[in-house]
Amino acid sequence: MRKRTRYNRRRLIDNEDEQNPLTGVANLFDIAMVFSVALLVALVMSYQLPELLSPTDDMTIIKNPGQPDMKIIIKEEGRPIEVLNMTDQIGGGTGEALGTAYKLADGRVVYVPESDGNESIN
């Protein structure tokens, strides 16, 4: 009886009719997922934007600056990526210049208001 038990076990292991035909499809899916992630990383690196992959970096991208279809893309740490489509209500309007801001070599910003011509500078 022992020989018969061993023979039955071996027959169950070697039985090719019992193999799942979808095993190869699962392997193809895994390969496709790895390829798609590699393609995504290569695309980000080709645009020289590795900050998009870093969860701690903040960045702002302006597409088509000064055009009517201008977009601002904002990525901040811990927040979802925000896309602003600029319209007249968001980024346009009329106004007047109040002065000029200068950034000094040490990093400080100095604001100089415009003068009317009535004031004297000492």
Side-chain angles (χ1 to χ4, degrees):
M1 265 176 108
R2 260 187 164 191
K3 287 186 176 184
R4 184 174 233 178
T5 306
R6 286 186 183 174
Y7 177 73
N8 285 339
R9 285 184 194 163
R10 177 170 283 204
R11 196 175 101 206
L12 287 175
I13 294 172
D14 293 335
N15 190 359
E16 294 186 18
D17 294 335
E18 297 293 326
Q19 290 182 354
N20 188 355
L22 294 178
T23 304
V25 175
N27 290 336
L28 288 176
F29 178 77
D30 293 341
I31 291 170
M33 293 307 296
V34 169
F35 179 74
S36 64
V37 169
L39 190 63
L40 177 68
V41 170
L43 182 67
V44 168
M45 292 301 176
S46 71
Y47 283 116
Q48 298 174 352
L49 296 173
E51 293 87 9
L52 287 176
L53 297 177
S54 174
T56 59
D57 289 345
D58 296 340
M59 67 181 298
T60 302
I61 300 172
I62 300 175
K63 289 178 63 178
N64 303 326
Q67 303 296 322
D69 61 341
M70 183 171 86
K71 292 184 180 184
I72 298 177
I73 303 167
I74 303 168
K75 178 188 168 284
E76 294 177 348
E77 181 181 358
R79 300 182 71 195
I81 294 176
E82 191 175 350
V83 178
L84 301 174
N85 294 320
M86 299 308 287
T87 62
D88 287 337
Q89 290 80 23
I90 294 176
T94 59
E96 64 181 76
L98 298 175
T100 307
Y102 298 97
K103 184 174 183 179
L104 302 178
D106 62 357
R108 293 183 295 158
V109 177
V110 177
Y111 168 71
V112 179
E114 286 186 3
S115 62
D116 303 358
N118 296 338
E119 303 172 9
S120 64
I121 301 175
N122 295 329

